[in-house]
Amino acid sequence: MPGPVRDVIEHRLGSEVTDAQSQVGGFSPGVAARLQLADGTRAFVKAACSTPNPDTPVLHRREGRIAAALPPSVPAPAFRFSYDDGEWVALAFDDVDGRGPELPWRTDELARVLAALGVLATELTPSPIALDAAADVLARLLGGWRRIAGTDIEARLPHAARHRIDDLVALEDRWPEAVRGETLLHLDLRADNMLLTDDGVFLVDWPGAAVGAAWVDLAAMLPSIAMQGGPDPEAVWHAHPTSRDVDAGLVDAFVAALAGYFAHSSLLPAPPGLPTLRRFQAAQGEHAWAWLMRRRGWSEAVA
């Protein structure tokens, strides 16, 4: 960060920074550091400018607005302040003495995370803050099969998907209906967006938060869990309390939309400053597709 930005952050923190440890993981380019302050306290700061990716400061601004409104009942690091000079955007939080889940997923740690998601679905229904509907937030992402159909990308799909493209478009078209609800959702849960402590699970990076169906965060996370050595998505889904009494057709529509998002996004050029994102999306897409195939009773063989 430029010196003047660092100076403002130190002033707002109320103490000089004596040590900064950069944190790896995630996909947003920019600063992410745990700070030791001269007064003995700690803080976490994330910051970005419009280079190399102009979308990152926009996401930071939205996250700052959301983080400032999250109630104490949400297991997220306490928000301190934001800084925005029009080019650099910085967010400061309390530092959480935790770590990311061990990968491949350990059974005990996954159980802790899944239990936390169940508690969140209960505690955050109805949403304690007013936010956009999940259907509105996800509209720019989902609908991948429809975006693929009839384009050059369609020819690059696996055989089973290419020959079911019309069915996939029709199925995913129900996703806006599927995600309707009144629960506060994170909408981007993955291993790199959570910290485990001795007595809890903290969720970080909330720029995509919205209000929707209580089960959506679980369903959206399952392909990444499978990709990182976790169990079969369908087995986890049926064992989790948030899946009870959920319309199976709506779940199929959302899983189809997830698979379509990953299929479409993974075949696009990499965004500026995010060279590994497409590979990560493709890996999740393989598991989302396999989950959808199982739920629909489809096979790879298509006449």
Side-chain angles (χ1 to χ4, degrees):
M1 290 183 292
V5 178
R6 295 199 306 269
D7 292 343
V8 171
I9 290 174
E10 282 190 320
H11 176 74
R12 295 286 300 275
L13 290 172
S15 183
E16 180 183 2
V17 175
T18 59
D19 184 60
Q21 297 181 354
S22 293
Q23 303 301 293
V24 298
F27 294 94
S28 296
V31 176
R34 300 179 71 181
L35 307 180
Q36 178 68 54
L37 307 181
D39 64 4
T41 63
R42 300 188 63 88
F44 174 80
V45 167
K46 59 191 299 185
C49 63
S50 58
T51 304
N53 191 301
D55 292 334
T56 304
V58 175
L59 292 175
H60 280 15
R61 290 185 182 102
R62 189 170 195 271
E63 182 177 4
R65 293 192 296 270
I66 292 170
L70 291 178
S73 59
V74 175
F79 181 66
R80 294 197 183 184
F81 62 83
S82 63
Y83 165 84
D84 189 345
D85 63 12
E87 173 63 12
W88 277 89
V89 180
L91 308 176
F93 302 84
D94 282 356
D95 184 55
V96 173
D97 187 14
R99 59 172 179 80
E102 189 175 311
L103 301 176
W105 278 95
R106 287 172 30 183
T107 301
D108 61 327
E109 292 187 351
L110 179 58
R112 289 179 60 194
V113 169
L114 294 174
L117 292 188
V119 172
L120 280 178
T122 300
E123 294 293 323
L124 300 183
T125 306
S127 174
I129 59 177
L131 281 179
D132 298 333
D136 295 333
V137 171
L138 294 173
R140 65 185 181 86
L141 301 177
L142 303 186
W145 298 119
R146 184 171 290 280
R147 293 186 178 100
I148 288 172
T151 70
D152 293 342
I153 296 178
E154 184 178 334
R156 298 164 61 189
L157 293 175
H159 175 80
R162 189 169 64 252
H163 286 269
R164 290 188 175 93
I165 190 67
D166 291 340
D167 291 337
L168 289 166
V169 170
L171 181 59
E172 79 169 354
D173 276 350
R174 295 187 65 195
W175 78 260
E177 175 190 357
V179 303
R180 289 179 192 149
E182 54 181 14
T183 301
L184 176 61
L185 302 172
H186 183 284
L187 284 188
D188 193 23
L189 289 183
R190 304 184 308 265
D192 58 295
N193 279 343
M194 56 187 62
L195 296 169
L196 304 184
T197 64
D198 289 341
D199 57 359
V201 177
F202 283 77
L203 307 181
V204 302
D205 293 344
W206 288 76
V211 178
W215 54 269
V216 168
D217 268 342
L218 172 65
M221 186 181 177
L222 289 179
S224 75
I225 290 175
M227 174 192 69
Q228 293 173 321
D232 172 62
E234 188 71 357
V236 178
W237 170 256
H238 281 295
H240 201 274
T242 58
S243 71
R244 294 172 189 159
D245 302 321
V246 179
D247 184 298
L250 294 182
V251 177
D252 286 356
F254 182 68
V255 175
L258 273 183
Y261 163 68
F262 288 128
H264 179 257
S265 298
S266 66
L267 295 173
L268 297 176
L274 302 173
T276 64
L277 178 60
R278 298 309 186 204
R279 186 165 62 252
F280 187 78
Q281 290 172 330
Q284 288 187 84
E286 290 177 6
H287 289 280
W289 173 249
W291 186 21
L292 178 64
M293 294 267 286
R294 177 174 175 179
R295 289 188 59 88
R296 301 298 288 182
W298 292 342
S299 68
E300 293 289 347
V302 180

